[in-house]
Amino acid sequence: MSLPPEKASELKQIIHQQLVKMDVHGRIREVLAETIREELAPEHQQLSTEDLIKALRQRGIIDDVMKELKFVTDVNEKERTSAPKPSTHLVDGEPPVLKRTNIDPTRRYLYLQVLGGKAFLEHLQEPEPLPGQICSTFTLCLHFRNQRFRSKPVPCACEPDFHDGFLLEVHKDSLGDGSKMVDATTMLSICDPVHMVLIKTDTFGETTLVASYFLEWRSVLAAENGITNVAVELLGVGTESKVSVGVLNIRLEMYPQLNKTLSLEITNTQFALERQKTAEKERLFLVYAKQWWREYLQIRPTHNVRLVKIFAQDENGVNRPVCSYIRPLRAGRLLDTPRQAARFVSVLGYERAPVIGGGGGKQEQWCTLLAFLCRNQGDCEDHANLLCSLLLGFGLEAFVCVGTKAKGVPHTWVMTCGTDGTITFWESLTGHRYIHRPINPDDPPLVEQPKPLYPYRTIGCIFNHQKFFGNCQPSDAVEVCVFDLHDESKWKPMSGEAIKSVCCPGTTSSVPPFPPLCASTIDAAVTSNEIELQLRILVSEHRKDLGLSTVWDDHLSYLLSPALAAYELERTTSISAGNEEFQDAVRRAVPDGHTFKGFPIHFVYRNARRAFATCLRSPFCEEIICCRGDQVRLAVRVRVFAYPESACAVWIMFACKYRSVL
């Protein structure tokens, strides 16, 4: 591959700067003198180039130079955008297959190295893991300007052994000059932080959000040699957002080196101006929101008990406008339809935000999108925000609804408004869809009213990234609500300009940018086989404890596959297909006088032992697994369906056939 003359000279300049920085010439002189002194016999007066290269290689100098000039990146990464110049990414690969790659000398990079952690005091008593022993691990996830990275998992310890480097590309892609080399002044205007999320994975594969931190990287623009070291103190999340969980040592370096660094005064002034601008916008929005709320309460005194949510706390305890949690999100080639998006969101794990102590109160915590995706589970608000963002990305008019379910339990779900006025509710935790047909309370008693199938009882407000409406109808019961959003006597709107001032992406604000979705790293076929094998062993052991032998019917197991595929298709599209062929195949496989029983079940995790324990709690499944009789043959089939972010739907079907003895 030949380079144009100007690129070649630029590349030579970069290499020369690197060699000067490492003082390679001085080290070569030392090696040369040492080699002449030690290895040359008196009669030899000349030292060949090969001898010198050999001496440099033996002392590791050539390796050091190559390490500095090259970066490690992942060979599995696939380009997800059609940009003319692909940037270097690290993908969420486990375990990563590494190769060497040169940096593009025409682009500006930030090389972020994590050089270990300290003071993770919760793990002070953690014993050293034995070789091969499964232990809890920390994983660091990063997002910067549409690029996502994930560190190698390291064992949880007081001083976790993080040693990872991430090559972050810095360029003004939004202005179309991504191919130009940006200078320090231009980079100072790029206010996107590096969002870092620390995840803990326990020995059972359960994930916990440990910390979420926004790193201000631009301090490196004023650093000498374009290198700076920072100690980042990570604070906890939720109720522990003021408590330190540990410190990460981070080294930031610009590549190529800046020709001219900025003064500390300039960078500090820029940061102060940005903070001041953001604080003023947020102050003005708060003043407006208070005025809006006063007007809303004056409409009807009972409005003060309605669930009208204008602000919500994120994982760091920061109050943000609810509209800032939504943004149109396009999934590229990873999701094809809105219903598939709903299915994807529903297979992400559901867990209420943890509360320390009793009382039964609900701890409120709306996670930023990166924290939710990296952890792979969250509360109903996180699911609803993500689903609404994806539906907006598919071009639908979508809103998040805040209200209650049965027994007054607070809940959020998603609503779409069709161009024909059709209102559809989307339950983000299950993927179910419900058409809303309002009941008219003024109709005569004999008029038949539609019976609502949805589980929602009341609705206080709806919002998306541009609009916010408070419900000011006489009743907040969902079944009698009319969703005519243009009628201000039914829905009190907020000013679109006010929302835009604090929630619009690209402006100086405290709203974190949305990360792109990542493709799954799960091999569905391999994972299906692994879980199926583990379940066979568990079933055989369980039956052995009961004094029963186990004979597997591989043909019958295979015949269960179409049923599992049909169940997932039905969950995604609400269309049932292929049942006739499945029933016909089973009838052919089960002889006359024999009985067939099957039990399908669905999970969103890949832990076979946990799934088996859940299955045994069902009397129908236990009846199959513990089947007694003549000529008993057992079958089990597992089918894993992979979704973005390594989320998955796991379908398991247990079956048996046996001769009926009356």
Side-chain angles (χ1 to χ4, degrees):
M1 186 184 78
S2 60
L3 283 172
E6 66 275 8
K7 294 283 171 65
S9 61
E10 197 169 0
L11 188 56
K12 284 177 184 173
Q13 179 65 25
I14 293 167
I15 294 171
H16 176 69
Q17 286 175 353
Q18 194 65 41
L19 295 178
V20 170
K21 190 176 86 174
M22 294 177 66
D23 190 25
V24 170
H25 299 99
R27 292 166 72 181
I28 289 174
R29 283 191 208 99
E30 288 171 17
V31 172
L32 185 58
E34 193 179 321
T35 307
I36 291 171
R37 191 170 59 250
E38 289 179 3
E39 297 178 13
L40 274 190
E43 62 271 15
H44 292 100
Q45 293 304 313
Q46 284 193 338
L47 186 70
S48 70
T49 308
E50 288 77 13
D51 291 333
L52 181 57
I53 293 288
K54 182 182 172 188
L56 291 172
R57 189 171 280 119
Q58 283 174 344
R59 286 161 178 78
I61 290 173
I62 289 177
D63 286 344
D64 288 348
V65 173
M66 297 312 286
K67 273 181 193 167
E68 286 293 326
L69 288 177
K70 293 187 176 185
F71 288 87
V72 174
T73 188
D74 200 310
V75 78
N76 289 336
E77 177 64 5
K78 296 180 180 66
E79 185 58 30
R80 296 192 191 89
T81 61
S82 57
K85 288 196 174 183
S87 60
T88 308
H89 283 51
L90 293 180
V91 78
D92 299 346
E94 283 187 14
V97 182
L98 300 175
K99 71 169 186 177
R100 300 277 184 183
T101 180
N102 287 316
I103 63 171
D104 182 346
T106 65
R107 287 182 173 244
R108 188 74 73 185
Y109 295 95
L110 173 69
Y111 186 42
L112 186 152
Q113 289 174 278
V114 186
L115 304 174
K118 58 188 178 185
F120 285 78
L121 300 179
E122 192 175 323
H123 302 278
L124 193 59
Q125 306 297 326
E126 205 93 1
E128 280 285 318
L130 298 169
Q133 180 188 2
I134 297 173
C135 61
S136 299
T137 58
F138 282 138
T139 308
L140 192 63
C141 305
L142 276 71
H143 168 233
F144 178 68
R145 292 179 72 74
N146 229 36
Q147 303 159 77
R148 285 185 56 189
F149 304 84
R150 182 185 286 264
S151 74
K152 295 187 288 289
V154 300
C156 292
C158 183
E159 297 188 355
D161 189 28
F162 285 110
H163 275 93
D164 270 296
F166 308 100
L167 193 60
L168 282 59
E169 189 175 324
V170 186
H171 60 97
K172 296 287 280 182
D173 51 0
S174 58
L175 300 181
D177 58 352
S179 58
K180 292 180 185 175
M181 182 76 83
V182 289
D183 59 11
T185 310
T186 310
M187 285 192 286
L188 188 60
S189 67
I190 300 175
C191 55
D192 294 351
V194 179
H195 190 184
M196 305 167 68
V197 168
L198 186 63
I199 302 291
K200 178 184 174 181
T201 309
D202 67 15
T203 51
F204 301 104
E206 289 293 308
T207 53
T208 312
L209 178 61
V210 178
S212 174
Y213 185 84
F214 294 94
L215 176 69
E216 178 50 80
W217 59 274
R218 290 174 292 173
S219 57
V220 74
L221 301 176
E224 196 177 345
N225 299 326
I227 301 172
T228 184
N229 291 295
V230 288
V232 170
E233 183 184 18
L234 300 177
L235 299 176
V237 295
T239 52
E240 299 173 43
S241 59
K242 302 286 186 286
V243 181
S244 174
V245 294
V247 176
L248 289 180
N249 295 317
I250 290 175
R251 177 185 171 98
L252 299 171
E253 191 168 353
M254 293 306 305
Y255 277 96
Q257 271 193 322
L258 295 168
N259 297 325
K260 183 183 172 189
T261 57
L262 302 173
S263 73
L264 201 58
E265 189 182 355
I266 289 174
T267 56
N268 288 341
T269 304
Q270 174 73 11
F271 299 160
L273 283 170
E274 285 176 7
R275 281 195 296 270
Q276 187 181 338
K277 195 174 175 184
T278 302
E280 181 61 15
K281 282 182 179 178
E282 290 174 350
R283 187 189 70 79
L284 290 173
F285 181 76
L286 181 60
V287 169
Y288 170 76
K290 284 181 174 178
Q291 176 63 27
W292 184 93
W293 178 244
R294 278 195 295 271
E295 292 171 1
Y296 181 72
L297 291 182
Q298 285 169 10
I299 296 171
R300 205 173 279 112
T302 53
H303 282 185
N304 66 345
V305 295
R306 292 192 180 181
L307 282 177
V308 178
K309 192 148 197 61
I310 302 171
F311 294 93
Q313 282 193 355
D314 68 8
E315 66 265 25
N316 290 326
V318 177
N319 272 315
R320 301 185 189 278
V322 289
C323 297
S324 68
Y325 291 89
I326 310 291
R327 204 164 297 168
L329 182 63
R330 289 164 60 175
R333 306 267 179 204
L334 301 178
L335 297 168
D336 296 318
T337 66
R339 294 191 187 191
Q340 195 182 11
R343 179 63 178 148
F344 155 59
V345 175
S346 73
V347 298
L348 290 168
Y350 167 63
E351 183 184 76
R352 289 176 59 172
V355 182
I356 297 174
K362 185 178 186 295
Q363 169 65 30
E364 185 181 75
Q365 181 179 304
W366 291 33
C367 282
T368 54
L369 183 56
L370 183 69
F372 177 41
L373 293 177
C374 292
R375 197 183 159 214
N376 250 205
Q377 62 182 22
D379 213 331
C380 62
E381 293 88 358
D382 304 322
H383 287 78
N385 291 339
L386 175 56
L387 178 56
C388 182
S389 297
L390 287 167
L391 295 182
L392 287 167
F394 276 112
L396 302 179
E397 187 179 14
F399 296 89
V400 171
C401 306
V402 180
T404 62
K405 292 194 296 185
K407 299 181 181 176
V409 177
H411 190 62
T412 56
W413 64 97
V414 179
M415 174 186 94
T416 52
C417 306
T419 50
D420 60 353
T422 304
I423 300 298
T424 308
F425 293 147
W426 303 63
E427 177 47 64
S428 60
L429 297 178
T430 61
H432 292 162
R433 298 164 63 256
Y434 309 95
I435 303 297
H436 172 67
R437 295 184 181 87
I439 293 171
N440 187 352
D442 298 328
D443 279 345
L446 293 177
V447 174
E448 190 176 346
Q449 298 287 4
K451 190 174 182 193
L453 300 173
Y454 44 78
Y456 317 121
R457 295 291 178 266
T458 66
I459 183 166
C461 66
I462 63 172
F463 63 89
N464 62 18
H465 62 305
Q466 293 175 330
K467 299 174 183 175
F468 184 99
F469 296 96
N471 183 2
C472 50
Q473 295 170 63
S475 169
D476 63 351
V478 179
E479 56 191 18
V480 297
C481 263
V482 176
F483 289 92
D484 180 2
L485 302 179
H486 300 291
D487 187 346
E488 292 194 13
S489 68
K490 292 183 171 65
W491 294 94
K492 180 172 171 58
M494 261 197 180
S495 157
E497 285 300 312
I499 293 169
K500 191 177 177 182
S501 70
V502 287
C503 300
C504 184
T507 58
T508 305
S509 71
S510 61
V511 178
F514 270 29
L517 293 183
C518 279
S520 178
T521 58
I522 293 172
D523 186 319
V526 171
T527 309
S528 301
N529 285 337
E530 286 174 354
I531 297 173
E532 194 171 303
L533 188 61
Q534 291 171 31
L535 286 174
R536 283 195 174 204
I537 293 168
L538 290 167
V539 170
S540 298
E541 288 176 351
H542 185 73
R543 286 178 61 84
K544 189 177 178 183
D545 291 342
L546 298 172
L548 300 170
S549 61
T550 306
V551 182
W552 294 101
D553 187 330
D554 291 338
H555 178 60
L556 184 60
S557 295
Y558 180 70
L559 296 186
L560 304 177
S561 292
L564 301 183
Y567 297 147
E568 182 62 21
L569 181 69
E570 189 174 359
R571 287 287 179 101
T572 307
T573 62
S574 304
I575 297 168
S576 180
N579 195 38
E580 300 83 2
E581 294 92 334
F582 168 65
Q583 289 184 355
D584 191 58
V586 168
R587 285 194 188 101
R588 289 176 178 280
V590 179
D592 286 343
H594 283 63
T595 300
F596 170 84
K597 289 181 180 178
F599 176 81
I601 190 166
H602 169 254
F603 298 101
V604 295
Y605 50 80
R606 307 189 300 277
N607 187 324
R609 193 172 289 277
R610 182 178 163 196
F612 184 64
T614 305
C615 291
L616 282 178
R617 287 201 286 273
S618 163
F620 301 107
C621 186
E622 197 206 14
E623 193 178 307
I624 292 170
I625 291 170
C626 306
C627 180
R628 296 170 183 269
D630 186 20
Q631 297 181 26
V632 175
R633 297 290 181 270
L634 292 170
V636 63
R637 192 67 172 170
V638 176
R639 181 73 168 85
V640 173
F641 296 88
Y643 286 92
E645 297 297 327
S646 298
C648 61
V650 180
W651 283 96
I652 301 172
M653 190 167 189
F654 291 100
C656 68
K657 65 176 182 179
Y658 59 93
R659 185 194 291 276
S660 304
V661 180
L662 296 174

